[in-house]
């Protein structure tokens, strides 16, 4: 499952919710039939899509069983996950953030740690790497610190090893 959008506040009285895609593209959500919401409380809620429509530049979705405004608001603040094949299409060289999890951070052929999380940063995402000695280190996911991920080998090359010494 891929985190694909945030579910925002309700719109109107018929249970529609504002949905903001992480990719900036709404096309893949216009034909969505199901997904999973991870609520603010950490609960997973399986959802069937009842209706999707555009209102001005805002994507609105209504889910089966949430046709009343009060009930729909329970989903507000959730993250919408979809099956990988239903997520936004990738262009050449693009990847999902979820694909970075578990990659080995290597330097000079030696595994320095594994990516265990990814956090938003001002200029780039940050890789949260658990080093081989158990420390958690933040590595900017951009040159000159790391190379592009090599998904075939499950690695990402650390170009600036000194960053692990901080």
């Amino acid at each position: 499952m891929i985190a694909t959008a945030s579910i925002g506040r309700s719109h109107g009285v018929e249970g529609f919710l504002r949905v903001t895609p992480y990719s900036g593209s709404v096309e893949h959500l216009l034909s969505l039939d199901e997904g999973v919401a991870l609520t603010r409380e950490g609960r997973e809620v399986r959802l069937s899509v009842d209706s999707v429509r555009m209102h001005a530049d805002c994507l609105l979705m209504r889910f089966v069983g949430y046709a009343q405004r009060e009930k729909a608001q329970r989903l507000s603040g959730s993250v919408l996950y979809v099956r990988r094949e239903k997520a936004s299409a990738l262009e050449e060289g693009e990847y999902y953030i979820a694909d970075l999890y578990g990659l080995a951070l290597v330097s000079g052929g030696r595994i320095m740690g594994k990516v265990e999380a990814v956090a938003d940063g001002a200029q780039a995402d940050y890789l949260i790497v658990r080093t081989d000695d158990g420390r958690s280190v933040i590595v900017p996911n951009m040159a000159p610190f790391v190379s592009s991920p090599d998904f075939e080998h499950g690695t990402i090359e650390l170009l600036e090893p000194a960053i692990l010494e901080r």
Side-chain angles (χ1 to χ4, degrees), residues 113-166:
K114 292 219 183 243
V115 177
E116 62 178 19
V118 180
D120 289 332
Q123 294 180 335
D125 290 328
Y126 292 112
L127 304 175
I128 312 303
V129 176
R130 179 70 60 191
T131 63
D132 55 358
D133 63 2
R135 293 180 300 125
S136 184
V137 179
I138 298 173
V139 178
N141 186 22
M142 60 187 282
F145 303 104
V146 295
S147 68
S148 295
D150 180 348
F151 295 110
E152 184 178 327
H153 294 101
T155 61
I156 189 164
E157 183 76 24
L158 180 62
L159 302 174
E160 187 58 53
I163 200 167
L164 296 183
E165 297 169 12
R166 297 178 186 177

Side-chain angles (χ1 to χ4, degrees), residues 13-88:
V13 296
E14 298 176 341
F16 281 93
L17 294 159
R18 296 172 189 263
V19 175
T20 305
Y22 294 141
S23 67
S25 171
V26 298
E27 287 76 23
H28 65 289
L29 295 173
L30 293 173
S31 61
L32 188 67
D33 56 353
E34 65 182 2
V36 173
L38 180 62
T39 67
R40 291 179 304 230
E41 298 81 25
R43 291 184 307 114
E44 288 185 10
V45 179
R46 293 201 172 280
L47 299 171
S48 293
V49 177
D50 177 49
S51 182
V52 180
R53 69 178 190 212
M54 292 299 297
H55 176 73
D57 62 347
C58 181
L59 178 70
L60 302 176
M61 297 181 92
R62 182 174 58 201
F63 301 101
V64 173
Y66 293 87
Q68 298 80 27
R69 178 184 181 105
E70 295 75 24
K71 192 165 186 185
Q73 286 177 323
R74 296 178 195 164
L75 296 174
S76 182
S78 297
V79 175
L80 180 63
Y81 286 81
V82 301
R83 289 191 320 270
R84 181 177 286 268
E85 63 270 13
K86 296 286 188 172
S88 181

